[in-house]
Amino acid sequence: IQSTRSISAVGDDGRAVMINLAPTKLIFSSLFVIAAYFLGMPANASDPQTQMENKAFKEAVKAVKDKNYAHAITLFEAQAKMPRHDAQHNLAVLLNAGKGRPRNYVEALFWSWQAQLGGIEDAEDLANDIVDLLPPKVADEVRSRVGEALKARIDANDLNAIPQFANYHLTILAEPDYGNAYIWYSIAAAINLPETSDARDDAESQIDSKNLVELQMKTQTLFDKYKFKPLPATGKGGK
C-alpha cells in the first residue's frame, strides 16, 4: 500500500517551497512549507521564543529527511502539545506510518483531529482515513479526549481554542451539536475573534427558536464564568 502523506515544514526564509523526496511505503512523498505559523504568527517571526520554536521544528523536519524518525517524533510531540498545529499534523503522520514509534492509530487520530481544528487541511483527510480503521467506541473515546484537550486550553485562557471548540461540535463529533457550537461561536464573536460571527449565525439557523433563549442564557453563564474580555475589533469578525 502506498501513502502520499506529507510533512509540513518551515523553511529558513519562511517561504512556501516544495522539496521532493522519493516515495516510500506508508510514509511521505514530499515535504512542503506552510508559511503561516502557530497562533497566526509568520514563520520568520522575530521574537526569541518563536525563533526557538521554529528552529526545533526545522530540526524535526531535517530528522525526517535523515530518516531519524525517533528524534523527529520527539520534537514534533513537544511542539504539538504547545499546541502548534502543523507539528500536530506531522506527529499524526509519523504515528500513522509507524515511524519512530510503533504504529498507533488512536494517537494519530487524536493529533490529526486537533491539527484539523487548527486549520491544517491535510489533517482532515488523514483523520478520515484513520477513523474508518477504528471501532466506533474507540473513535468516540478519541473524540472525548480532543474535547477535553480543547476545554483545558480554554481554561488556560487560550482564546484560539474557543472557535476550535465550537467547530469541534460540528465537525469532530459523530453527530453535529449545533447548540454547543452556537454557544462557543457566540462567545468567540462577542470577544471579536475573527470570522466567527457568521459561523455563529449559521449555527443559529440550525436551532429551533424555542431553544435559543436557554442557549443564550448558558452562553452568558460561561462568558461570566471565564471573565472573557473583548479583544480590539479587527474588522474581520463578520457582520
Side-chain angles (χ1 to χ4, degrees):
I1 300 173
Q2 296 288 329
S3 174
T4 58
R5 298 298 174 204
S6 300
I7 287 285
S8 311
V10 173
D12 293 335
D13 60 0
R15 295 180 180 274
V17 297
M18 182 71 73
I19 307 171
N20 293 320
L21 299 178
T24 57
K25 289 184 178 180
L26 293 167
I27 192 159
F28 342 96
S29 62
S30 64
L31 295 180
F32 67 91
V33 170
I34 294 180
Y37 179 57
F38 174 59
L39 296 184
M41 293 185 291
N44 58 350
S46 59
D47 70 277
Q49 180 66 27
T50 299
Q51 288 183 339
M52 182 175 66
E53 291 167 3
N54 278 343
K55 182 179 179 180
F57 189 88
K58 286 184 280 190
E59 181 183 345
V61 171
K62 183 178 185 300
V64 172
K65 294 170 68 176
D66 294 340
K67 295 182 169 36
N68 186 358
Y69 301 120
H71 184 50
I73 206 169
T74 297
L75 291 171
F76 283 138
E77 184 175 44
Q79 295 174 78
K81 292 176 179 178
M82 289 181 180
R84 178 168 171 162
H85 299 302
D86 47 3
Q88 290 173 340
H89 172 246
N90 293 349
L91 178 59
V93 170
L94 289 169
L95 290 168
N96 181 62
K99 297 294 185 179
R101 291 182 191 169
R103 176 174 290 159
N104 190 323
Y105 290 140
V106 168
E107 291 302 306
L109 182 60
F110 174 69
W111 291 113
S112 61
W113 267 336
Q114 291 188 74
Q116 174 185 334
L117 292 168
I120 306 299
E121 293 182 3
D122 286 355
E124 182 175 1
D125 290 336
L126 178 57
N128 289 340
D129 289 346
I130 297 171
V131 77
D132 290 339
L133 301 173
L134 298 177
K137 181 180 179 181
V138 175
D140 285 342
E141 290 171 353
V142 179
R143 289 186 177 95
S144 295
R145 286 180 59 200
V146 172
E148 290 167 1
L150 290 165
K151 285 188 286 186
R153 288 174 55 197
I154 293 172
D155 289 342
N157 201 36
D158 181 351
L159 300 184
N160 288 307
I162 296 173
Q164 291 178 24
F165 193 43
N167 192 28
Y168 161 86
H169 288 93
L170 298 180
T171 61
I172 305 301
L173 294 183
E175 296 293 335
D177 181 346
Y178 291 103
N180 275 304
Y182 175 69
I183 286 172
W184 290 100
Y185 274 132
S186 294
I187 291 173
I191 62 174
N192 294 323
L193 290 179
E195 301 177 6
T196 54
S197 294
D198 289 342
R200 174 203 59 198
D201 295 345
D202 289 343
E204 182 174 320
S205 70
Q206 301 296 321
I207 297 169
D208 192 314
S209 59
K210 67 182 181 182
N211 297 324
L212 280 175
V213 171
E214 180 182 358
L215 289 172
Q216 290 173 357
M217 291 176 65
K218 289 180 178 179
T219 302
Q220 186 65 54
T221 298
L222 285 167
F223 194 86
D224 295 340
K225 171 187 174 182
Y226 283 97
K227 297 181 172 61
F228 289 122
K229 301 295 183 183
L231 301 171
T234 63
K236 299 180 180 179
K239 296 180 181 179

